Amino acid sequence: MSAWRRKALGLFPDLRNDIEDPDTSVMGLFFELLSRCRDAHGRNDLEELRRIYGFADWCASQTAKELWNAAGVGFYEHLADSRQTFDEIPLWVSKQVFEDIAGLLEARGGRERVAELRRRYR
């Protein structure tokens, strides 16, 4: 079993069937986690948010393009699609990851909104 699947199983045991399915890619998992992230923000479910953002951060820090790319384009850039998730980026995303994904966020959320987030990181 790949490292990302082991990591995901430890964090999201309720998604075991999807994670163990050989047809599930890490990108596909991120689309599921994005939906869960939005719901967790709405419920203020801090534990769920810690797991989701922790997995995304772990993937973003890996050397395998499959993992960091999936985190960027399958998860992080879509945080700009919801006002709540976008506004809370500085609470959940490290400054280093934010700088790595700022271009993706600008493409979806606009340069001015990203500049505001950048100011909040200072």
Side-chain angles (χ1 to χ4, degrees):
M1 180 178 292
S2 67
W4 76 262
R5 289 180 195 276
R6 284 192 304 277
K7 181 79 168 171
L9 272 175
L11 294 167
F12 313 105
D14 59 308
L15 295 176
R16 176 175 293 281
N17 290 339
D18 291 330
I19 293 167
E20 290 181 341
D21 183 339
D23 292 331
T24 298
S25 66
V26 68
M27 183 74 76
L29 178 60
F30 270 117
F31 287 128
E32 171 67 26
L33 294 179
L34 181 64
S35 175
R36 286 175 67 144
C37 181
R38 289 181 182 134
D39 292 344
H41 274 282
R43 295 187 318 273
N44 197 32
D45 185 340
L46 301 181
E47 185 55 38
E48 177 82 334
L49 291 169
R50 279 186 200 95
R51 286 192 307 269
I52 294 168
Y53 283 103
F55 181 70
D57 184 68
W58 180 83
C59 286
S61 71
Q62 300 304 299
T63 57
K65 182 178 181 180
E66 171 193 23
L67 300 179
W68 56 258
N69 185 62
V73 301
F75 180 73
Y76 286 123
E77 81 171 324
H78 293 282
L79 296 175
D81 298 344
S82 159
R83 184 70 186 191
Q84 183 175 21
T85 57
F86 189 86
D87 288 346
E88 294 188 14
I89 286 173
L91 301 175
W92 295 102
V93 177
S94 72
K95 183 174 183 178
Q96 176 59 52
V97 170
F98 171 75
E99 290 301 334
D100 290 345
I101 63 165
L104 296 171
L105 293 171
E106 283 180 2
R108 294 190 82 86
R111 184 168 288 163
E112 289 178 21
R113 288 178 71 200
V114 172
E116 174 57 33
L117 289 181
R118 191 170 274 118
R119 284 189 288 275
R120 289 177 53 201
Y121 274 96
R122 288 189 198 136

